[in-house]
Amino acid sequence: MAATKFIIDVRANEELAPLKLVVTPEMVEMWGESCNNHHPWHTQASPFGGRIAQPTIVMPILLMVRALTCPDGSGPFPLVHRSYEATNASPCKVGERIEAKGKCLARYSKRGREYAEWELVLTGEDGRLISRYKHTICWNAMPSSESEKK
Amino acid sequence: MTREDFGVGYRFPAVSRSLTREAIIKYHHLLEFLTKGSTASSDGGIHTSVEFAKQHGFADLVAPGMMTTNWLSQWLTEVFGDGYVKGGSLQTNYLKPVLAGDSVTMNMEVTRIASEVSGLMVDLGLRCENQKGEIVTIGTASVLVHQRPSAHFEEAHSILQ
């Protein structure tokens, strides 16, 4: 039986399993609906030749990628999203096949809390960079043994 | 706004959004479905259970921080268009929880303008405040302005109102 792996078990510099996926209309519609973002570039057409995904779709894609490596999610240690940092190099078109590569950039303690920084790089099938995203989370409470394992 | 108004220190007309329990639960469920294909195990936390949120010291459901980031990103897309979605950037930090029933006002101010070959690179300071005036989310963005800004900004702002 495969060992349980929670998000908290990922160490600094550990790469996540890469994911190739198609950014489907349903994904873009669902992400738009979640925040009532019905901008016509995401729902109808854009100057880039067809619909494009919201730049912030990098966040749910990071969660998808992380779930491949950490199928048991946050487990017994609830986490909090602390910051979002994305550079939008090129729009991601709806229907486009992309590759998502993720990594845990850093683990550290600050003011009694444990933090983890994640990076996600999205590239198109043509090799162009779509987005580079940094996602920071923290755990409000974590056993000291987890700190010592870092 | 005229072209002459657009400079460092310019503040865009603020935009407000109200947050309901239903909106928080909807966001949480859609994110769960999008990333896991199911919402089966997603209930009972601070985003979906008022009782659980109160047990953990919150007066009501807590909105995921990403909700304010999505609103800011949408605003940047409305105002700056391709100058944000192609070559732009957004950074946000979540300082205080946003709760169901809160009204969040988004503020955007020009902090730096630099000339580039293809236009103006504009740095922006972003701030989301709740109805008590407390800053809940703070951030920065960079966008490229390709065209004469005034008409574009007026049109974008009218869409958001």
Side-chain angles (χ1 to χ4, degrees):
Chain A
M1 194 175 82
T4 298
K5 185 150 186 171
F6 297 124
I7 292 168
I8 206 164
D9 297 322
V10 178
R11 303 292 157 215
N13 298 314
E14 185 174 338
E15 292 189 1
L16 304 175
L19 174 67
K20 287 187 177 177
L21 73 156
V22 174
V23 177
T24 64
E26 292 76 19
M27 284 172 64
V28 174
E29 285 158 15
M30 207 176 287
W31 190 232
E33 180 64 23
S34 73
C35 280
N36 288 325
N37 180 355
H38 304 294
H39 190 284
W41 288 5
H42 313 310
T43 58
Q44 297 166 35
S46 76
F48 304 102
R51 295 161 61 183
I52 60 169
Q54 302 86 351
T56 57
I57 204 160
V58 290
M59 186 267 192
I61 292 175
L62 171 71
L63 301 193
M64 289 180 210
V65 170
R66 200 174 56 188
L68 294 176
T69 300
C70 310
D72 300 297
S74 59
F77 309 110
L79 52 83
V80 180
H81 186 189
R82 296 308 304 264
S83 70
Y84 167 102
E85 185 175 349
T87 300
N88 313 319
S90 171
C92 178
K93 294 174 185 173
V94 173
E96 184 172 9
R97 179 175 289 277
I98 64 169
E99 183 170 28
K101 287 184 177 174
K103 180 180 179 179
C104 178
L105 286 178
R107 289 283 305 271
Y108 53 91
S109 301
K110 191 167 80 175
R111 297 190 196 114
R113 287 179 173 178
E114 293 294 323
Y115 284 75
E117 291 178 0
W118 308 83
E119 180 188 64
L120 183 78
V121 178
L122 295 186
T123 50
E125 222 172 9
D126 55 3
R128 80 187 193 287
L129 177 65
I130 293 173
S131 182
R132 187 178 291 275
Y133 172 49
K134 192 166 94 173
H135 176 96
T136 304
I137 58 170
C138 78
W139 288 271
N140 277 334
M142 194 169 74
S144 58
S145 59
E146 291 296 330
S147 278
E148 290 159 8
K149 278 200 291 185
K150 280 191 303 176
Chain B
M1 185 181 73
T2 67
R3 186 181 175 84
E4 289 69 35
D5 293 330
F6 185 74
V8 173
Y10 177 77
R11 292 180 182 178
F12 289 79
V15 175
S16 294
R17 297 256 188 143
S18 295
L19 203 52
T20 62
R21 285 179 181 172
E22 292 72 24
I24 294 171
I25 293 168
K26 182 174 86 170
Y27 172 88
H28 182 75
H29 281 168
L30 285 170
L31 179 61
E32 287 285 308
F33 194 81
L34 187 56
T35 56
K36 298 177 183 170
S38 163
T39 61
S41 61
S42 69
D43 286 333
I46 57 173
H47 304 312
T48 53
S49 166
V50 176
E51 186 182 352
F52 186 90
K54 287 184 175 176
Q55 284 169 0
H56 287 77
F58 301 104
D60 212 311
L61 294 184
V62 180
M66 196 62 199
M67 291 187 81
T68 53
T69 297
N70 276 323
W71 293 343
L72 290 167
S73 181
Q74 182 184 358
W75 196 15
L76 291 164
T77 304
E78 297 280 8
V79 174
F80 296 101
D82 59 348
Y84 167 61
V85 303
K86 186 176 182 181
S89 64
L90 171 62
Q91 183 269 331
T92 52
N93 286 307
Y94 312 123
L95 303 184
K96 287 182 77 76
V98 178
L99 304 179
D102 281 356
S103 174
V104 176
T105 300
M106 298 183 284
N107 299 277
M108 178 158 67
E109 178 175 348
V110 177
T111 57
R112 178 176 170 269
I113 299 176
S115 290
E116 302 270 337
V117 174
S118 50
L120 299 174
M121 183 56 75
V122 178
D123 292 346
L124 302 155
L126 303 165
R127 200 176 70 249
C128 294
E129 295 176 352
N130 63 19
Q131 65 281 4
K132 298 174 191 166
E134 298 168 326
I135 298 174
V136 294
T137 299
I138 195 159
T140 58
S142 291
V143 296
L144 190 62
V145 175
H146 301 283
Q147 60 183 47
R148 183 177 180 273
S150 60
H152 184 59
F153 291 162
E154 282 165 7
E155 181 188 353
H157 188 69
S158 68
I159 291 169
L160 287 162
Q161 293 307 295

